Amino acid sequence: MRRTVFNEDHEAFRETIRAFIEAEVAPVYDEWFAAGQVPRDFYYKLAELGIFGIEVPEEYGGAGVESFKFEAIISEECARAAVNFGGSGVHVLLCLPYIKAYATEEQKKRWLPDFVTGKSMYAIAMTEPGTGSDLAGMKTTAKLSEDGTHYVLNGAKTFITGGVHADRVIVCARTDAPRADDRRHGISLLVVDTKSEGYSVGRKLDKLGLRTSDTAELAFVDVKVPVEDLLGEENKGFSYLGQNLPQERLGIAVGAYAQAKAAVRFAQQYVSERTVFGKTVASFQNTKFELAACQAEVDAAEAVCDRAIEAHDAGELTAAEAASAKLFCTEVAHRVIDRCLQLHGGYGYMNEYPIARLYADNRVNRIYGGTSEVMKSIIAKSMGL
């Protein structure tokens, strides 16, 4: 089926990203995989390519394009090559929307030029040990100083993607106690300079997948955060977090679809070359049926993603629709990648084969950005259940 979501400009961008991956990423990706992170200098290469500034307004050094489609293409091309750009996705997809929506003009002038050039890499710190998806239960506090010039930040965060290389982190913290009738009250967003005294990066977590994307524990001990670095209004942070969740979940849905599509490509190539009992694996009826079923699922996921992308660009993607796209595409990817790995036999379990890396990378899609169970709850609520 012909896709209509992308035009000639998008496809030219796709070719640029594909060529960049082939020249700058694929030759050294095994080294990054072994190291468990991409080099910090790699982000400057992405910045030179213009990736960080696509959706940044022109007055701050960006291209001023209001569209998710370029980010979707990056996800598709990374999956196609079974590579990962580290924490750059969090930098653009998760952090930029908060700055664009809630930063003051002074803050945008101060932060966005370095955001575009990669001089300042951003991460966002929500999850805490023991809280998981229950963001309203966070314990990290930010108390206003007596002279009103700064907040004093104390607490800990975990599972922070991009946390090792980050220069600034959007930290969710309690600036007021929760109310009896509203546990979400009292959460604020602070843009914290990682060079601040009392700020520390703990373990770089050893993950099952996404191994080139650094994920860390963070700790704050009496970190002084200037009041000028409060993002948006005090105590309204929880509502801000909810505003960006549809885009975050759309990004995960697109990434999962792209991984499933790549898995079919890898499996088809492998079974066409691999011979058993004197003939190619592709010649067996079971192989044909398995790959045909996988392709049908990928086609369906592609349609769901494309519809959601168009809705998002039109400003019409609802929370329930984003949850539905994430649930469907991540579950499809889970099934498809598993079946494609099976067609590789024992070689599918070896990390030197891209299908093995896709299998490990894909598993977290049904967890982060809201678990599949949370997605079902959101969808059910939208149905009046």
Side-chain angles (χ1 to χ4, degrees):
M1 293 181 286
R2 186 175 66 88
R3 300 179 78 182
T4 59
V5 69
F6 300 120
N7 60 29
E8 291 181 359
D9 291 338
H10 296 127
E11 294 306 332
F13 178 74
R14 183 187 300 279
E15 291 303 317
T16 298
I17 296 299
R18 187 172 297 181
F20 175 80
I21 290 174
E22 291 174 353
E24 301 288 345
V25 181
V28 293
Y29 194 73
D30 285 346
E31 297 174 19
W32 298 357
F33 188 85
Q37 63 186 33
V38 304
R40 177 63 175 83
D41 289 349
F42 174 66
Y43 293 136
Y44 290 116
K45 294 182 179 181
L46 292 179
E48 290 173 3
L49 203 60
I51 285 177
F52 295 157
I54 293 173
E55 294 190 59
V56 173
E58 293 181 17
E59 58 265 37
Y60 309 114
V65 177
E66 292 289 340
S67 175
F68 182 81
K69 294 179 181 179
F70 293 96
E71 293 303 325
I73 289 170
I74 293 171
S75 291
E76 291 183 4
E77 290 305 307
C78 283
R80 180 182 182 274
V83 300
N84 184 281
F85 282 177
S88 66
V90 168
H91 181 69
V92 175
L93 291 178
L94 270 64
C95 298
L96 180 59
Y98 290 109
I99 298 173
K100 288 172 63 178
Y102 306 115
T104 64
E105 184 63 23
E106 183 276 330
Q107 288 172 330
K108 290 177 182 177
K109 289 179 179 178
R110 184 154 49 96
W111 294 334
L112 286 176
D114 286 347
F115 182 101
V116 172
T117 64
K119 183 178 180 180
S120 286
M121 292 301 296
Y122 282 68
I124 186 165
M126 302 185 212
T127 306
E128 296 183 1
T131 62
S133 298
D134 182 19
L135 293 179
M138 69 176 62
K139 305 296 184 183
T140 296
T141 60
K143 296 182 179 180
L144 191 62
S145 62
E146 291 184 3
D147 61 6
T149 61
H150 62 272
Y151 293 92
V152 180
L153 181 67
N154 284 281
K157 299 289 182 178
T158 192
F159 305 147
I160 310 307
T161 301
V164 174
H165 284 318
D167 301 287
R168 280 192 175 269
V169 177
I170 301 173
V171 178
C172 308
R174 283 207 165 277
T175 45
D176 196 5
R179 294 171 178 164
D181 61 341
D182 185 7
R183 295 175 62 240
R184 301 173 178 181
H185 170 77
I187 294 173
S188 300
L189 306 184
L190 301 174
V191 182
V192 181
D193 186 337
T194 62
K195 296 186 294 294
S196 301
E197 184 178 352
Y199 179 102
S200 63
V201 178
R203 292 186 302 150
K204 181 171 73 67
L205 300 173
D206 186 16
K207 306 189 301 296
L208 170 67
L210 298 177
R211 297 190 65 84
T212 60
S213 179
D214 58 288
T215 301
E217 296 175 330
L218 306 179
F220 322 109
V221 179
D222 293 334
V223 177
K224 293 181 179 180
V225 183
V227 293
E228 292 81 9
D229 289 348
L230 171 70
L231 187 60
E233 295 183 43
E234 196 176 79
N235 300 328
K236 292 190 176 181
F238 199 96
S239 65
Y240 297 159
L241 296 176
Q243 294 298 314
N244 193 47
L245 282 174
Q247 175 170 299
E248 179 181 353
R249 288 164 179 165
L250 172 60
I252 296 170
V254 171
Y257 146 71
Q259 289 174 326
K261 182 178 181 180
V264 172
R265 173 173 167 266
F266 292 135
Q268 187 172 354
Q269 180 180 4
Y270 178 82
V271 298
S272 297
E273 298 171 352
R274 172 72 166 160
T275 59
V276 293
F277 305 118
K279 54 184 180 179
T280 65
V281 176
S283 66
F284 290 92
Q285 186 182 64
N286 179 68
T287 303
K288 297 176 182 179
F289 282 5
E290 284 292 286
L291 284 176
C294 287
Q295 184 61 52
E297 292 218 72
V298 168
D299 287 344
E302 180 177 274
V304 168
C305 281
D306 288 358
R307 184 182 70 174
I309 290 170
E310 294 285 22
H312 181 271
D313 274 14
E316 299 172 353
L317 183 67
T318 67
E321 289 168 345
S324 179
K326 179 183 184 295
L327 176 66
F328 181 77
C329 292
T330 56
E331 294 292 340
V332 163
H334 160 64
R335 293 191 296 269
V336 167
I337 295 172
D338 183 75
R339 294 164 85 172
C340 288
L341 187 149
Q342 187 72 17
L343 290 173
H344 281 71
Y347 289 105
Y349 205 66
M350 301 296 114
N351 276 326
E352 64 186 279
Y353 282 79
I355 191 66
R357 297 183 182 183
L358 279 181
Y359 185 86
D361 290 351
N362 171 260
R363 185 58 186 88
V364 76
N365 289 334
R366 290 181 287 152
I367 298 173
Y368 66 2
T371 64
S372 292
E373 292 74 21
V374 170
M375 297 305 99
K376 291 173 184 177
S377 296
I378 294 169
I379 297 165
K381 184 176 180 181
S382 74
M383 298 168 65
L385 300 174

